[in-house]
Amino acid sequence: MSRIVRNQDVLWREEEETRDQAQEGLAAGEDVENLGTSILFHNGKILSLNLLGTEIWKLCDGKTKDEVVAVIAEEFEAPTDQVDADVTAFLAELQREGFISYE
């Protein structure tokens, strides 16, 4: 299966304070979907990622999609089929925008 790799030309930064707020909110059962925890910049494009997007992005280090899905499903205690659909859609967007590729 293909391995996912981040484009080395992408500049990115994780916002630790916002990440901590998102993790605390998630633990309290709050909706943290719109809280940006990292920023990606490449080729004139800026992408703000929420907690889930940031965690997926960090796993794009040579893992397969199935490996990413397994980690996210466990970490977020979510059903694998739902996580698979979300991860697949998100990775397709990242690939379309040139942020990741497959080896």
Side-chain angles (χ1 to χ4, degrees):
M1 181 171 252
S2 298
R3 303 232 170 244
I4 308 160
V5 292
R6 293 187 291 250
N7 180 334
Q8 296 299 309
D9 294 331
V10 173
L11 301 174
W12 71 285
R13 179 181 74 218
E14 185 173 15
E15 302 293 335
E16 293 179 17
E17 184 176 325
T18 309
R19 181 202 61 218
D20 293 345
Q21 289 174 353
Q23 289 173 332
E24 290 170 11
L26 189 61
E30 298 172 7
D31 180 6
V32 297
E33 183 176 349
N34 293 322
L35 190 57
T37 61
S38 66
I39 298 170
L40 309 181
F41 180 77
H42 172 63
N43 212 19
K45 298 174 188 168
I46 297 175
L47 187 61
S48 176
L49 304 180
N50 63 15
L51 183 61
L52 177 59
T54 298
E55 294 308 308
I56 294 169
W57 169 254
K58 292 190 307 190
L59 293 169
C60 294
D61 60 356
K63 290 180 179 49
T64 66
K65 181 188 70 102
D66 290 343
E67 290 171 330
V68 172
V69 168
V71 170
I72 295 297
E74 182 177 336
E75 185 175 328
F76 286 86
E77 299 177 357
T80 302
D81 57 336
Q82 180 61 51
V83 171
D84 187 83
D86 292 345
V87 167
T88 299
F90 183 62
L91 291 176
E93 178 185 351
L94 290 178
Q95 183 180 28
R96 188 172 46 254
E97 297 297 331
F99 289 96
I100 64 165
S101 61
Y102 290 86
E103 294 182 337

